[in-house]
Amino acid sequence: MTLNGWLQILLYCGIIIALVKPLGGYMTRVFSGERTLLSPVLVPIERGLYAMAGTSEREDQHWTAYAFSLLMFNLLGVLVLYALMRLQAGLPYNPAGMGAVPPELSFNTAVSFVSNTNWQNYGGESTMSYLTQMMGLNVQNFLSAATGMAIAVGLIRAFSRVSGKAIGNFWVDMTRATLYILLPICVVLTLVYVWLGVPQTLGPYVEATTLEGAKQTIALGPVASQLAIKMLGTNGGGFFNANSAHPFENPDNISNMIQMLSIFAIGAGLTNVFGRMVGNQRQGWAILASMGILFIVGVGITYWAEAAGNPLMHQLGLAGGNMEGKEVRFGTAMSSLFAVITTAASCGAVNAMHGSFTALGGLIPLINMQLGEVIVGGVGAGFYGIILFIIVAVFVAGLMVGRTPEYLGKKIEAKEMKMAVLAILCLPLAMLVFTAIATVLPSAVASIGTAGPHGFSEILYAYTSAAANNGSAFGGLTGNTPWYNVTLGIGMLMGRFLVIIPALAIAGSLVAKKTVPASAGTFPTDGPLFVGLLVGTILIVGGLTFMPALALGPVVEHLVMIAGQTF
């Protein structure tokens, strides 16, 4: 580890903290229906969209109607995207002549982008036409991110409203998230990326002649526009197979820093939205502090492991950190930071090969996802994910002091606890059950790229990434098979919607409860004690759930490595 590396990490953290209040204030005004700088231009468009949808900003929905609207909209998204991929051979804007995407891969990809996972069992530049990239994948990048933000805001209203039956309007929340937040920022980011050298064109691929006289096809396309939303919306699906390690997607350290900032910006800002809407910004800062502690510890361990390198290499006289699978222009520090950021959020974009990290360096990204990606998390998804752990934490605190648990004046009772536990446990169900089956199924085992503990880790990482709606991979696993395309797709659906529905049920239950004024016996949830309790709850629940699986994978890899053996 170097001082320069830590200074870059601290600079990143400082910028994120500086963005929290202004971005949080703007998003609060947007979701509260207040006037913003963009209102004169966007309000007529917004109202036109409501008229087309048969709704209005004055119409609120019960949580069941909110959930039904969300599910039907996402189902339609899966069907449209699936059809687009199956028919792309006959559709325009296909200069490379891409054929139809196979059925299982189309199913996997459609579910992947609609669920904000963006798992890619294909190479974008060799599989998807420009039309599919823009009208299919890129559109879902916006809509899946807006869906997550809508759910988070609906849950925030459950705490901020004194009592009622409705949690908002899904169509309104999603429209405002897209029009006022995602689109304007992405327009600016797209222009910045083009300025930095990222391609944005509808022209055909370019044929080049190498120094040896061979012909090489250089893939181009509308890259910058997809890059902007893939990072800001924590989607992660790259235009190129190499994702953000490709120089056309991530040319230099400036673009690298902008991409990392984009991943955390909205998720961190939503904690401030929460604090503002419940009338106590300290509540939002307490949540962000809990996330920050887990994040800094994860970055420290990953950076230390990668900077220390592989002891087997040291025995051969090759000193230095682990640069295998990393881009020289980013180095160990920024590769480690990017890996922790992209798995702390449900982004999944990568600027290095996670499968080439050391055992402990690869362990932290895996843990981040298995904890439910509550360390800032995906846009919206991270917030409603950590609310589930908050409910468990205050319930435990209430039991310890013999009082009815409450959070922000809302009583936390059996119904909320059942829904929270159901949502938390659906992740290990999807991750571990499919992993267990894949480790004994011959056709699934045949896809492993590396034998031994790392081969197990490849399978565990794949299903963890799918169920956590992350989309990153260890890379050694051949995922484009019928088994993995279908089961990973099912895992994505479970990880997305079996969390969303209980979260909305909790919102519906809480919004109907009257807010109880704080008393001398109320457990404070905006101070260091609560931060420590929340961090401990996340680690204990996650540890009890996943520790046996981790012990079979990365932990064994690390023990084998320090013993001086190869895999």
Side-chain angles (χ1 to χ4, degrees):
M1 292 189 289
T2 65
L3 176 61
N4 180 56
W6 276 110
L7 287 176
Q8 292 180 76
I9 293 170
L10 292 176
L11 173 64
Y12 171 81
C13 295
I15 296 175
I16 286 294
I17 293 173
L19 290 173
V20 167
K21 288 196 71 172
L23 192 54
Y26 174 71
M27 289 193 292
T28 302
R29 290 193 295 275
V30 168
F31 289 116
S32 299
E34 300 175 17
R35 183 179 177 84
T36 69
L37 189 64
L38 298 175
S39 294
V41 177
L42 296 180
V43 165
I45 300 174
E46 179 187 357
R47 289 176 178 170
L49 291 172
Y50 296 155
M52 291 172 60
T55 187
S56 76
E57 63 268 30
R58 296 180 298 276
E59 181 181 334
D60 269 359
Q61 294 177 310
H62 187 267
W63 81 266
T64 53
Y66 200 101
F68 181 78
S69 299
L70 182 152
L71 291 174
M72 291 301 100
F73 181 75
N74 281 267
L75 175 61
L76 179 62
V78 171
L79 296 176
V80 170
L81 185 51
Y82 180 87
L84 192 62
M85 286 183 286
R86 295 290 294 138
L87 299 173
Q88 79 170 0
L91 297 174
Y93 294 104
N94 187 6
M98 303 295 183
V101 182
E104 295 89 354
L105 182 57
S106 294
F107 165 75
N108 181 280
T109 306
V111 168
S112 176
F113 277 77
V114 170
S115 66
N116 200 245
T117 308
N118 294 41
W119 175 274
Q120 295 178 281
N121 274 336
Y122 62 89
E125 67 270 45
S126 60
T127 309
M128 302 296 178
S129 69
Y130 290 172
L131 185 71
T132 303
Q133 295 269 24
M134 293 186 299
M135 198 172 99
L137 307 184
N138 216 24
V139 167
Q140 287 304 322
N141 280 344
F142 279 96
L143 298 181
S144 64
T147 296
M149 295 171 70
I151 299 162
V153 173
L155 192 54
I156 290 172
R157 292 194 188 101
F159 291 102
S160 64
R161 293 181 174 179
V162 177
S163 66
K165 295 182 179 180
I167 61 172
N169 186 314
F170 170 73
W171 307 108
V172 173
D173 291 338
M174 187 190 63
T175 300
R176 287 175 173 168
T178 305
L179 275 183
Y180 289 89
I181 301 170
L182 297 175
L183 269 173
I185 298 175
C186 283
V187 168
V188 175
L189 287 175
T190 298
L191 295 175
V192 171
Y193 288 136
V194 170
W195 172 62
L196 291 172
V198 177
Q200 182 69 17
T201 178
L202 293 178
Y205 291 178
V206 174
E207 291 288 339
T209 303
T210 67
L211 293 175
E212 294 81 8
K215 295 293 184 180
Q216 179 182 356
T217 301
I218 299 177
L220 299 172
V223 183
S225 56
Q226 183 163 323
L227 174 62
I229 185 59
K230 94 165 187 182
M231 309 310 283
L232 185 68
T234 62
N235 299 281
F239 188 94
F240 298 104
N241 189 37
N243 209 280
S244 287
H246 196 292
F248 282 178
E249 279 200 43
N250 200 357
D252 54 31
N253 278 290
I254 297 176
S255 65
N256 193 59
M257 179 61 77
I258 293 173
Q259 290 183 34
M260 291 190 295
L261 291 170
S262 298
I263 295 173
F264 266 14
I266 291 179
L270 280 171
T271 63
N272 188 255
V273 173
F274 177 70
R276 289 173 185 268
M277 292 184 73
V278 300
N280 181 0
Q281 290 191 45
R282 285 174 56 87
Q283 298 289 345
W285 287 114
I287 294 175
L288 186 61
S290 303
M291 296 173 172
I293 291 171
L294 294 169
F295 173 69
I296 291 297
V297 171
V299 171
I301 294 174
T302 304
Y303 185 24
W304 168 81
E306 296 307 298
N310 192 325
L312 297 177
M313 303 298 289
H314 297 169
Q315 293 173 16
L316 298 174
L318 301 174
N322 176 33
M323 281 298 294
E324 180 188 347
K326 298 180 177 64
E327 295 295 306
V328 176
R329 66 185 185 276
F330 302 137
T332 305
M334 290 299 96
S335 298
S336 300
L337 179 61
F338 200 111
V340 177
I341 291 169
T342 196
T343 51
S346 61
C347 184
V350 295
N351 73 347
M353 178 64 71
H354 289 188
S356 295
F357 278 34
T358 61
L360 292 184
L363 176 65
I364 296 302
L366 191 57
I367 289 177
N368 286 343
M369 294 184 291
Q370 291 180 341
L371 292 178
E373 292 173 319
V374 296
I375 308 170
V376 177
V379 287
F383 179 80
Y384 62 73
I386 202 167
I387 287 293
L388 300 173
F389 283 101
I390 288 174
I391 289 173
V392 175
V394 297
F395 190 82
V396 171
L399 293 179
M400 289 192 294
V401 298
R403 288 177 55 89
T404 301
E406 64 181 62
Y407 184 58
L408 300 178
K410 300 283 187 173
K411 296 290 185 182
I412 304 299
E413 298 174 307
K415 181 178 180 180
E416 291 77 31
M417 271 300 298
K418 290 176 181 177
M419 290 295 102
V421 171
L422 175 64
I424 291 172
L425 290 182
C426 79
L427 292 179
L429 175 66
M431 296 172 185
L432 301 182
V433 170
F434 281 126
T435 297
I437 297 172
T439 55
V440 297
L441 191 68
S443 60
V445 173
S447 293
I448 296 175
T450 308
H454 192 74
F456 174 82
S457 296
E458 289 176 2
I459 296 175
L460 177 62
Y461 195 105
Y463 286 109
T464 297
S465 178
N469 299 137
N470 184 270
S472 64
F474 263 3
L477 186 74
T478 302
N480 191 15
T481 67
W483 165 261
Y484 282 109
N485 277 327
V486 172
T487 56
L488 288 171
I490 294 172
M492 295 172 207
L493 291 172
M494 292 175 65
R496 180 73 162 176
F497 298 105
L498 291 187
V499 175
I500 284 176
I501 301 305
L504 288 176
I506 290 172
S509 175
L510 291 176
V511 76
K513 297 182 179 183
K514 292 185 178 181
T515 302
V516 179
S519 65
T522 300
F523 178 65
T525 55
D526 58 0
L529 181 60
F530 175 72
V531 170
L533 176 64
L534 180 55
V535 170
T537 301
I538 293 171
L539 291 176
I540 291 172
V541 172
L544 291 175
T545 306
F546 289 106
M547 194 54 68
L550 292 175
L552 290 173
V555 174
V556 172
E557 286 186 59
H558 179 69
L559 295 175
V560 171
M561 184 179 70
I562 62 177
Q565 300 179 26
T566 58
F567 301 115

